[in-house]
Each structure stands twice: as C-alpha cells, then as structure tokens.
Amino acid sequence: IMPSLVGSEMCIRDRYLTEGGESPLPHPPMSHKATTPVPRSAKRPEMLLLEREARKETIERKGKNYRFWLFRRKLYHIVTVYALIFGLIGAIVFLWKDYILKYDWLSIDTVTLKSNGIFNSEQAFSVMGIGPQDNIFSIDAAELEQRLKKCPAIRRASVKRQISSNPTLLVDIDARIPVAWIDCPELGIHPGDATYGALADKEGVIFPCMEQVHMPYIREKRMPSVTLRPPSSGKLSYGVSIRELEAPMKLIELLSGTVTEYLPSIVSITTPNDWSFCVRFTNDCQATFSHYGLEHQVEKLSRALRHARHTHRKISSINLIPEHNIPVIFDDSYEDIPLAEPIEE
C-alpha cells in the first residue's frame, strides 16, 4: 500500500509542475544538524598541510609575504600574552601597596610575648624596629627573628605572625639574665654605668647594658662586679663566652643561694692572672680561688669563717688554693665585742 501512495503523490506533483503550477505537496524539510568544528589535534597531517597551503595561497594572492605574515602573527601573540601578564602583576602590586597594606584592620593588634622577664613588648618592638601601627602583611617574621638574635643580650628568639580577624605577632625571647657587672677601666667600662656599662650572664657571655631593659631588673638585686684585663684587640667581645669569666661566674652561681651567717655574698672579683682570681666579700674578707675544684674551695672557706667566728677573730685574707696549711691573715684591728647582757635588779 505504501509504495502505491508514494507513487501517486509523485505523479500528482509532476503533473502540476508540468502544467506550470505549484505542487500542493511541499517538499519534505531538510534536516540542519549543528556541526562542531573539528579540533586541530584531531585533524590528519594531510588536512593540516592542505589548510596551510590554502592559507598561504590566499595571503600571497593579496600581495603579502607569507613568512613575514607568520612572524607578525606570532609576535602579536607573544606581545599580547606578556602584556596581560605584566598588566596583572602591576594590578596586584598596586592593590597590595595602595590598599591592602594601608588597611587599619591589618595592623598589629596584639603581641603575644613569651619572655623570662627581662624584655617586655615595647622593648621587643624597639629591638625589632617595628611598631603596633605596622601592617601584619608588611612584616617579615624571619627578618625580625634575625634582628633579635643579633642582639647580644638575647640568647634565643623566634617570631611568628598569626593572620586572622585579630592580627597577632607571636614573639618568644630567651634573654640573657645578668649576674655581674663588668669592670674594665682601661676601656672606660665601669660597674653601674647604665649607658656604657657591660654585663655578664652565668655562662660568661658579655653584653652591653640596655638601660630600659636591664636597669629595672638590676635595681632589685645587688650584683657583684668582675674586673677584666683589657683584651689584646682593644675591645670586649659581646655575645660570646669569655674563658676568663667561666670560673668566676660559676662561683657566683654557687654562692647565689648559699649566703649564710658565716658565708657572706660577693662584692667584687678580680682576675690578676690566668690561674687564679680574687674575691672580696661583704665582710671585707678577700679570698683567692683557683679555676678548678670550686665546690671544695667554698667548703674550706666556710669552715675557716666559722672557725674565725667561734674564736672571735676576723679573716682579712685567705688563699684557698693549697690543699693543706692554708695561709690566713687575720684583721688585728677587729674587736669582737659580745652583746651586753641585761642587768637584773
């Protein structure tokens, strides 16, 4: 049935067209499917070569040099890409300097300082060379840490920044705790000088006195002084351990918590030579120590002072270096007057 119907429709259309009329039966609509361009990577080498040749003929037909056209095209692409890259970098730098770094809410709002009591936040800011108004993004934590470590009065330090709604600078400072003044008259260094004085910690490391940092701590303590011979270089070495100070600092540490009625505190220490040093105590006793066996020498000094008190005498000087027959000089002008007893009526 279907072939006969189709054949009849074709005969009717042909008759109308032959007679000069229009066919009442329209032609079936043609299908227009959307075609996607074939990617260059999917084309065959032959097709690419044909396209290149056709493009070359078209350009040369217009009277242009094909190689120069290719060079200009590549140059245009390169210049465009670099212009976009540099433009993007310039925009980022402009926004960073003129907007981000000037926002007040990015300034250092809090400083979390972990210290051993020598430095406070303001003094740490002074050493690092920054202030609370500085932007947290403009701060190089590694550089600030190096600035702290270069300070002879600081043993160890670390700096970290915490960027949040509350920009915080985390600073950890392990400062050197002064235990003695340095006395070197030949170099103009005197004990108690807050401006040009020098201090030493228990490790024998010398560092300059910082008035705002160290004086509040020193005023609460009675620190002894250590007299040094002037070094051959003509200046003291800050931030490094001095061998000449190792034994005196160890003696100060030994006696710091053992001051008793018979064992007074240290006033000053002198180093006349490389094998001994002289110590003057608060009771005007002067003792000579060697650099080795300090605990045993302290015990001998304690027994000698106790014996002198029991025999109502006062030691003027004592040499603790010999193991036996220790030379002792007593103060002849000392008078041990016992306390008066109350009179009973």
Side-chain angles (χ1 to χ4, degrees), residues 84-232:
L84 291 175
I85 293 175
F86 284 109
L88 181 61
I89 294 175
I92 293 175
V93 172
F94 174 77
L95 292 175
W96 183 268
K97 289 184 177 181
D98 293 351
Y99 288 92
I100 297 179
L101 295 184
K102 292 183 179 180
Y103 279 173
D104 294 336
W105 62 275
L106 289 176
S107 299
I108 301 174
D109 188 47
T110 305
V111 176
T112 302
L113 177 64
K114 182 180 179 182
S115 176
N116 52 3
I118 302 298
F119 281 82
N120 56 33
S121 299
E122 183 179 354
Q123 294 160 355
F125 270 135
S126 177
V127 175
M128 291 185 291
I130 61 174
Q133 73 281 355
D134 289 342
N135 192 287
I136 192 69
F137 282 106
S138 64
I139 293 176
D140 187 353
E143 182 180 354
L144 298 183
E145 183 174 319
Q146 290 301 320
R147 291 180 185 177
L148 290 175
K149 290 181 178 180
K150 287 181 180 179
C151 179
I154 296 177
R155 181 185 292 107
R156 289 184 299 272
S158 65
V159 179
K160 298 179 181 179
R161 60 182 183 179
Q162 179 179 334
I163 302 173
S164 60
S165 58
N166 182 25
T168 304
L169 195 65
L170 307 176
V171 183
D172 186 1
I173 296 178
D174 182 14
R176 299 189 182 277
I177 300 178
V179 297
W181 286 98
I182 297 299
D183 185 13
C184 188
E186 293 82 358
L187 300 180
I189 299 175
H190 304 281
D193 190 348
T195 306
Y196 303 103
L199 302 167
D201 66 352
K202 65 179 182 179
E203 298 174 354
V205 178
I206 301 177
F207 51 93
C209 176
M210 304 170 66
E211 183 175 1
Q212 301 298 327
V213 176
H214 298 120
M215 292 310 294
Y217 175 84
I218 294 174
R219 290 191 186 101
E220 301 176 357
K221 302 180 180 296
R222 298 179 60 182
M223 293 198 317
S225 64
V226 180
T227 303
L228 293 179
R229 292 167 293 169
S232 58

Side-chain angles (χ1 to χ4, degrees), residues 302-317:
S302 179
R303 291 200 304 265
L305 292 174
R306 186 183 303 109
H307 180 268
R309 175 66 62 88
H310 291 165
T311 57
H312 305 284
R313 291 180 294 179
K314 180 181 179 180
I315 297 177
S316 176
S317 64

Side-chain angles (χ1 to χ4, degrees), residues 38 51 79 82 156 162 172 211 258 295 331:
V38 180
E51 289 182 359
V79 171
Y82 276 97
R156 289 184 299 272
Q162 179 179 334
D172 186 1
E211 183 175 1
T258 59
E295 294 85 353
D331 186 2

